[in-house]
């Protein structure tokens, strides 16, 4: 039902202190569009119960869909916020001739729905749950809104990444839009330039929108307030499932045990580095659970084109319902402290 993996240091800490919310310093959320729907039940449990009495700061770090989830968790009522996100996202319908303008317009509407009346202020000023949205600033052809030039730039990115992930720094910078009291420490051996900008009322929506601005799917976001001028796109370009090291222990609910560093690694056999997951606890649905879902898979963006709207909505609503089983499994694991069931993450990394 639920697989739990941990790095050596993480497992040592768990054996010494038990599995509890207080041992974690960071909470990670990956890119992946509607794939996160399979985590819906877990998300509600995590921030409705597991972290509810949290007194010490927790870094919420996400890219793309993961950033949208972090924006929910940092609000006063995180469960209601994640429910709003799931409802609006899943019920979105596009026209037959959908284009980047339509998708961007509907993404802005989703943001307004997600933030409700006071969400932006709650995220910016939450002293415990400190949001961090990862965004990719683009240079050269990948900064263009011309589809042909952008496509050529992305091809260059793919080729560069195939040789060495570090070569992406020629086209991208990592921008972290973060809580004003953030003390997040991030270590990247690929040395992709990282810039930090404080989240404010003037930039929080644009920063979050940029974090999910998939190239060729959505329009890029230009000149975000408080940051450098330029074109910003999906944070998953650089940090898709993450191959970075964070200080402290990290809890990482993920929709898959397959970990890919960046967007351009999806088709590659390259694995993430073991040392970056040494202090990480990864929680993901088992293959048995995935096989029990409609179509024997988790949701993904292809569902928008391959399924009729009503068919897609029924499928996704079933996934929401079934995801509660993962929350129940994690609740049982936590209550029983079944530490012996934790697998070593070494089998997933290199």
């Amino acid at each position: 039902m639920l697989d739990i993996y941990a790095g050596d240091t993480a497992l040592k800490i768990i054996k010494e202190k038990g599995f509890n919310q207080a041992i974690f310093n960071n909470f990670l959320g990956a890119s992946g569009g509607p794939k996160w729907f399979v985590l819906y039940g877990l998300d509600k449990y995590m921030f409705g119960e597991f972290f509810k009495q949290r007194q010490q700061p927790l870094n919420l770090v996400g890219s793309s869909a993961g950033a949208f989830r972090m924006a929910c968790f940092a609000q006063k009522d995180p469960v209601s916020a994640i429910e709003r996100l799931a409802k609006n996202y899943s019920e979105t319908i596009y026209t037959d001739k959908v284009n980047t303008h339509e998708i961007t317009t509907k993404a802005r509407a989703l943001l307004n729905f997600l933030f409700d009346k006071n969400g932006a202020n709650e995220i910016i000023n939450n002293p415990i749950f400190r949001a961090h949205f990862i965004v990719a600033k683009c240079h050269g052809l990948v900064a263009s809104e011309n589809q042909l030039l952008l496509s050529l730039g992305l091809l260059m990115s793919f080729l560069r990444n195939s040789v060495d992930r570090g070569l992406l720094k020629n086209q991208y910078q990592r921008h972290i839009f973060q809580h004003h009291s953030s003390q997040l420490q991030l270590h990247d051996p690929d040395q992709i330039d990282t810039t930090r900008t404080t989240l404010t009322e003037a930039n929080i929506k644009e920063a979050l929108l940029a974090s999910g601005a998939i190239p060729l799917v959505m329009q890029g976001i230009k000149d975000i307030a408080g940051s450098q001028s330029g074109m910003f796109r999906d944070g998953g370009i650089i940090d898709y499932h993450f191959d970075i090291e964070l200080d402290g222990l990290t809890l990482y609910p993920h929709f898959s045990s397959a970990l890919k560093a960046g967007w351009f690694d999806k088709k590659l056999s390259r694995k993430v580095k073991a040392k970056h997951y040494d202090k990480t606890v990864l929680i993901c649905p088992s293959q048995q659970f995935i096989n029990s879902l409609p179509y024997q898979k988790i949701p993904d963006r292809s569902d928008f084109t391959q399924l009729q709207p009503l068919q897609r909505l029924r499928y996704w609503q079933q996934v929401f319902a079934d995801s509660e089983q993962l929350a129940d499994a994690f609740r049982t694991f936590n209550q029983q402290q079944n530490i012996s069931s934790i697998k070593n993450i070494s089998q997933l990394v290199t």
Side-chain angles (χ1 to χ4, degrees):
M1 184 69 67
L2 191 69
D3 288 335
I4 302 177
Y5 300 87
D8 289 339
T9 297
L11 190 56
K12 180 181 178 181
I13 293 173
I14 291 170
K15 289 179 178 179
E16 290 175 352
K17 300 183 178 181
F19 191 95
N20 62 85
Q21 61 85 19
I23 66 175
F24 295 103
N25 306 94
N26 314 297
F27 188 90
L28 211 53
S31 302
K35 293 177 181 178
W36 76 268
F37 289 172
V38 77
L39 302 175
Y40 177 66
L42 266 176
D43 281 352
K44 290 193 295 178
Y45 172 74
M46 289 285 187
F47 289 88
E49 296 183 44
F50 187 67
F51 284 117
K52 189 173 184 179
Q53 304 304 321
R54 179 87 180 186
Q55 297 297 316
Q56 297 300 316
L58 181 71
N59 297 313
L60 307 179
V61 184
S63 63
S64 200
F68 276 70
R69 291 168 57 220
M70 301 308 116
C72 294
F73 304 149
Q75 292 186 46
K76 186 175 181 180
D77 188 342
V79 174
S80 292
I82 201 71
E83 288 175 343
R84 290 197 302 275
L85 176 61
K87 175 179 172 59
N88 189 282
Y89 193 158
S90 65
E91 294 180 359
T92 298
I93 297 176
Y94 299 109
T95 63
D96 292 338
K97 296 183 179 180
V98 63
N99 56 27
T100 58
H101 174 73
E102 178 184 349
I103 294 175
T104 305
T105 298
K106 290 189 175 178
R108 288 187 182 278
L110 183 151
L111 271 185
N112 291 331
F113 192 69
L114 168 62
F115 278 69
D116 203 15
K117 296 179 180 180
N118 202 41
N121 181 267
E122 292 171 2
I123 296 166
I124 291 167
N125 295 301
N126 193 321
I128 304 299
F129 301 111
R130 299 178 175 179
H132 300 73
F133 306 151
I134 296 181
V135 180
K137 187 184 179 189
C138 303
H139 303 284
L141 294 179
V142 289
S144 176
E145 285 292 71
N146 179 289
Q147 297 275 292
L148 180 60
L149 295 178
L150 176 56
S151 296
L152 181 58
L154 293 172
L155 176 60
M156 292 170 62
S157 300
F158 176 79
L159 294 174
R160 280 176 165 150
N161 182 72
S162 298
V163 176
D164 185 343
R165 173 170 156 80
L167 294 177
L168 289 176
K169 62 187 174 185
N170 294 316
Q171 292 177 284
Y172 306 97
Q173 291 176 290
R174 177 189 292 111
H175 276 243
I176 303 177
F177 289 85
Q178 63 185 31
H179 188 276
H180 60 85
S181 296
S182 172
Q183 295 182 341
L184 178 73
Q185 296 298 312
L186 179 152
H187 310 281
D188 179 7
D190 297 307
Q191 298 183 331
I192 296 173
D193 185 43
T194 300
T195 298
R196 298 167 182 263
T197 300
T198 299
L199 286 168
T200 66
E201 291 273 2
N203 67 24
I204 187 168
K205 287 189 177 181
E206 293 296 281
L208 185 53
L209 191 66
S211 186
I214 304 170
L216 301 176
V217 176
M218 283 178 59
Q219 297 169 335
I221 307 300
K222 292 189 68 175
D223 303 337
I224 300 176
S227 189
Q228 302 169 3
S229 61
M231 180 65 75
F232 297 85
R233 299 192 189 276
D234 196 299
I237 294 173
I238 301 172
D239 298 300
Y240 190 60
H241 298 162
F242 305 100
D243 196 8
I244 54 178
E245 184 178 1
L246 302 177
D247 284 1
L249 208 62
T250 298
L251 183 59
Y252 187 9
H254 191 37
F255 45 76
S256 170
S257 60
L259 299 169
K260 298 295 182 180
W263 199 47
F264 298 104
D265 289 299
K266 290 191 288 184
K267 303 289 185 183
L268 303 180
S269 59
R270 178 189 295 159
K271 291 185 177 181
V272 297
K273 298 176 181 65
K275 66 178 182 178
H276 297 159
Y277 283 80
D278 178 56
K279 296 177 286 185
T280 298
V281 176
L282 181 78
I283 302 173
C284 56
S286 68
Q287 189 58 52
Q288 180 183 9
F289 175 80
I290 294 172
N291 291 340
S292 73
L293 297 174
Y295 309 107
Q296 294 76 56
K297 72 176 192 68
I298 64 174
D300 59 63
R301 286 196 300 113
S302 70
D303 297 336
F304 279 110
T305 56
Q306 296 184 2
L307 301 176
Q308 293 298 314
L310 183 57
Q311 182 185 20
R312 170 175 57 81
L313 183 57
R314 286 173 177 167
Y315 162 36
W316 286 358
Q317 287 178 334
Q318 186 61 53
V319 172
F320 289 146
D322 291 348
S323 73
E324 299 292 347
Q325 299 174 42
L326 300 184
D328 291 340
F330 182 72
R331 182 184 293 106
T332 298
F333 162 81
N334 186 43
Q335 290 173 345
Q336 297 180 353
Q337 292 290 295
N338 189 15
I339 295 172
S340 62
S341 67
I342 301 176
K343 304 175 184 179
N344 196 296
I345 207 167
S346 60
Q347 59 189 285
L348 308 178
V349 298
T350 186

